[in-house]
Amino acid sequence: HVQLVESGGDSVQAGGSLRLSCVISKITVNRYCSGWFRRLPGQEREGVAGVNSDDKKYYSDSVKGRFTVSRDNVNNALYLEMNNLKPEDTGLYICAIVTCGTWSGSIWGQGTQVTVS
């Protein structure tokens, strides 16, 4: 079955950077639309960044200009480069296969924790 496994979460200071990875198995990542979500403490899961099969990318307003999503077709992986991190970015970051151009996910990873202090 399809699996998404995230890694790269860590504890960093405000203003720092992290790069999250999501390795996807059983499907070819560039034939699907995929994205990153996060669950902030006490809040519902929210979409952060997505990339369509044509490589068009989209972001939530809260991360636009700070986060960059990219896809690695060789390693069949999805990445999230996060810069200028803020304490309010603290949460569980989850990658998913999504309906193109939306925040509607269908297959989810387990998540990786990001803590910004």
Coordinates of all heavy atoms in Angstrom, one line a residue, residues 1-5 22-29 32 76 95-97 106-110:
H1 N 0.8 -1.2 0.0 CA 0.0 0.0 0.0 C 0.9 1.2 0.0 O 2.1 1.2 0.4 CB -0.9 0.0 1.2 CG -0.2 0.0 2.5 ND1 0.3 -1.2 3.0 CD2 0.1 0.9 3.4 CE1 0.9 -1.0 4.2 NE2 0.7 0.3 4.5
V2 N 0.3 2.4 -0.4 CA 1.0 3.6 -0.5 C 1.4 4.1 1.0 O 0.6 4.1 1.9 CB 0.2 4.7 -1.1 CG1 0.9 6.1 -1.1 CG2 -0.2 4.3 -2.5
Q3 N 2.7 4.5 1.1 CA 3.2 5.0 2.4 C 3.9 6.3 2.2 O 4.6 6.5 1.2 CB 4.1 4.0 3.0 CG 3.4 2.8 3.7 CD 4.4 2.0 4.6 OE1 5.5 1.7 4.1 NE2 4.0 1.7 5.8
L4 N 3.7 7.2 3.1 CA 4.3 8.5 3.2 C 5.0 8.6 4.5 O 4.4 8.5 5.6 CB 3.4 9.7 3.0 CG 2.7 9.8 1.7 CD1 1.4 8.9 1.6 CD2 2.3 11.3 1.4
V5 N 6.3 8.8 4.5 CA 7.1 8.8 5.8 C 7.9 10.2 5.9 O 8.8 10.4 5.0 CB 8.1 7.7 5.9 CG1 8.9 7.7 7.1 CG2 7.4 6.3 5.8
C22 N 9.6 14.0 2.9 CA 8.5 13.0 2.9 C 8.8 12.0 1.8 O 8.8 12.4 0.6 CB 7.2 13.7 2.6 SG 5.8 12.6 2.4
V23 N 9.2 10.8 2.1 CA 9.5 9.8 1.1 C 8.2 9.0 0.9 O 7.6 8.5 1.8 CB 10.6 8.9 1.6 CG1 10.9 7.8 0.6 CG2 11.9 9.7 1.8
I24 N 7.9 8.8 -0.4 CA 6.6 8.2 -0.8 C 6.9 6.9 -1.5 O 7.8 6.9 -2.4 CB 5.9 9.2 -1.7 CG1 5.6 10.5 -1.0 CG2 4.5 8.5 -2.1 CD1 5.1 11.6 -1.9
S25 N 6.2 5.9 -1.1 CA 6.4 4.6 -1.7 C 5.1 4.1 -2.4 O 4.0 4.5 -2.1 CB 6.8 3.5 -0.7 OG 5.9 3.4 0.3
K26 N 5.3 3.2 -3.4 CA 4.3 2.6 -4.2 C 3.6 3.4 -5.2 O 2.8 2.9 -6.0 CB 3.2 2.0 -3.2 CG 3.7 1.1 -2.2 CD 4.2 -0.2 -2.8 CE 4.6 -1.2 -1.7 NZ 5.3 -2.4 -2.2
I27 N 3.8 4.7 -5.3 CA 3.3 5.5 -6.4 C 4.5 6.5 -6.8 O 5.4 6.7 -6.1 CB 2.1 6.4 -6.0 CG1 2.4 7.3 -4.8 CG2 0.9 5.5 -5.7 CD1 1.3 8.3 -4.5
T28 N 4.3 7.0 -8.0 CA 5.3 7.9 -8.6 C 4.9 9.3 -8.2 O 3.8 9.8 -8.7 CB 5.5 7.7 -10.1 OG1 5.8 6.4 -10.3 CG2 6.5 8.6 -10.6
V29 N 5.7 10.0 -7.5 CA 5.3 11.3 -6.9 C 4.9 12.3 -7.9 O 4.0 13.1 -7.7 CB 6.3 11.8 -5.9 CG1 7.6 12.2 -6.6 CG2 5.8 13.0 -5.1
Y32 N 1.2 12.6 -9.2 CA 0.1 12.9 -8.3 C 0.3 14.3 -7.8 O 1.4 14.9 -7.9 CB 0.1 11.9 -7.1 CG -0.3 10.6 -7.5 CD1 0.5 9.7 -8.1 CD2 -1.7 10.2 -7.4 CE1 0.1 8.4 -8.5 CE2 -2.1 8.9 -7.8 CZ -1.2 8.0 -8.3 OH -1.6 6.8 -8.7
N76 N 11.7 10.2 -5.3 CA 10.3 10.0 -5.1 C 9.9 10.6 -3.7 O 9.3 10.0 -2.8 CB 9.9 8.5 -5.1 CG 8.5 8.4 -5.7 OD1 8.1 9.0 -6.7 ND2 7.7 7.5 -5.0
C95 N 2.7 15.2 5.6 CA 2.6 15.2 4.1 C 1.4 14.3 3.7 O 1.0 13.4 4.4 CB 3.9 14.8 3.4 SG 4.4 13.1 3.7
A96 N 0.9 14.6 2.5 CA -0.3 13.9 2.0 C -0.3 13.9 0.5 O 0.2 14.8 -0.2 CB -1.5 14.5 2.6
I97 N -1.0 12.9 -0.1 CA -1.5 13.0 -1.4 C -2.8 13.8 -1.4 O -3.7 13.5 -0.6 CB -1.6 11.6 -2.0 CG1 -0.3 10.8 -1.9 CG2 -2.2 11.7 -3.5 CD1 0.8 11.4 -2.7
S106 N -5.9 12.7 0.8 CA -6.5 11.3 0.7 C -5.6 10.3 1.3 O -6.1 9.3 1.9 CB -6.8 10.9 -0.7 OG -5.6 11.0 -1.5
I107 N -4.3 10.4 1.3 CA -3.4 9.5 1.9 C -2.4 10.3 2.7 O -1.9 11.3 2.2 CB -2.6 8.7 0.8 CG1 -3.6 8.0 -0.1 CG2 -1.8 7.6 1.5 CD1 -3.0 7.3 -1.3
W108 N -2.2 9.9 4.0 CA -1.5 10.8 4.9 C -0.3 10.0 5.5 O -0.3 8.8 5.7 CB -2.4 11.1 6.1 CG -3.7 11.9 5.6 CD1 -4.8 11.4 5.2 CD2 -3.8 13.3 5.5 NE1 -5.7 12.4 4.9 CE2 -5.1 13.6 5.1 CE3 -2.9 14.4 5.8 CZ2 -5.6 14.9 4.8 CZ3 -3.4 15.7 5.6 CH2 -4.7 15.9 5.1
G109 N 0.7 10.8 5.8 CA 1.8 10.3 6.6 C 1.5 10.4 8.1 O 0.4 10.9 8.5
Q110 N 2.5 10.1 8.9 CA 2.3 10.1 10.4 C 2.7 11.5 11.0 O 2.2 11.9 12.1 CB 3.1 9.0 11.1 CG 2.6 7.6 10.7 CD 1.2 7.4 11.2 OE1 0.8 7.7 12.4 NE2 0.3 7.0 10.3

